[in-house]
Amino acid sequence: MWIVLAVLTGLCWGIGELFTKSVLHTGKVGPITAIAVRSTVAIPIMWLVWYFAVQRGGIEPRDWYKADTPTLLKLALGSGVVAGAIGMLCFYGALHLGQVSRVKPVAFALAPTIAVILGTLVLNEPFSVRKLAAVGLILAGIGLLTAG
């Protein structure tokens, strides 16, 4: 099931960024406005899904807000500030200035590379020659897509 969700994520983000780049290209909307609108539209949908999935469906812990302070700080700072706000600001700024066919591969291919490295160093996930080769292929792909 994870692979289906990952593929759907890629499809949604690929299509979504095409629309975003098209909007930015008009010159009538800037990257910060695009992020603000995206977030404003997404937030009520996410809370509605959360309500039905968590409060009604019980598929996640209901009392997440009672987690310990380090967990809540990682959630707020890591996911909210670093990935959510700063990451989106940088991505939309790059999308505003560059070609979607170059920006998207760099941003979304570097993410798994960083995930492999940090997963190994911080989370003690297993590392293998296969993962090293995959990261090498990802980086080579970025080079091919962005060269020239």
Side-chain angles (χ1 to χ4, degrees):
M1 185 59 168
W2 70 267
I3 192 72
V4 171
L5 292 173
V7 168
L8 289 173
T9 301
L11 288 171
C12 289
W13 284 348
I15 293 166
E17 302 322 340
L18 177 73
F19 280 99
T20 301
K21 179 60 180 179
S22 176
V23 166
L24 294 172
H25 185 71
T26 67
K28 296 179 180 180
V29 177
I32 296 170
T33 302
I35 295 167
V37 170
R38 174 184 179 167
S39 299
T40 301
V41 170
I43 286 171
I45 295 168
M46 294 310 305
W47 281 114
L48 187 64
V49 170
W50 175 84
Y51 175 77
F52 284 106
V54 176
Q55 292 299 102
R56 291 287 191 84
I59 63 170
E60 290 184 15
R62 291 180 185 205
D63 56 353
W64 61 270
Y65 52 88
K66 293 180 182 177
D68 59 12
T69 301
T71 299
L72 292 175
L73 282 173
K74 288 177 197 173
L75 178 63
L77 297 177
S79 185
V81 174
V82 175
I86 297 171
M88 279 198 299
L89 285 167
C90 291
F91 179 70
Y92 275 55
L95 198 60
H96 178 67
L97 299 171
Q99 298 173 11
V100 70
S101 60
R102 290 176 145 180
V103 170
K104 189 83 173 178
V106 170
F108 284 81
L110 189 56
T113 301
I114 299 301
V116 168
I117 293 167
L118 293 179
T120 301
L121 296 176
V122 177
L123 301 176
N124 296 316
E125 293 180 353
F127 188 76
S128 64
V129 173
R130 185 178 184 171
K131 281 186 181 179
L132 180 63
V135 167
L137 289 170
I138 289 169
L139 296 175
I142 293 172
L144 288 172
L145 279 169
T146 58

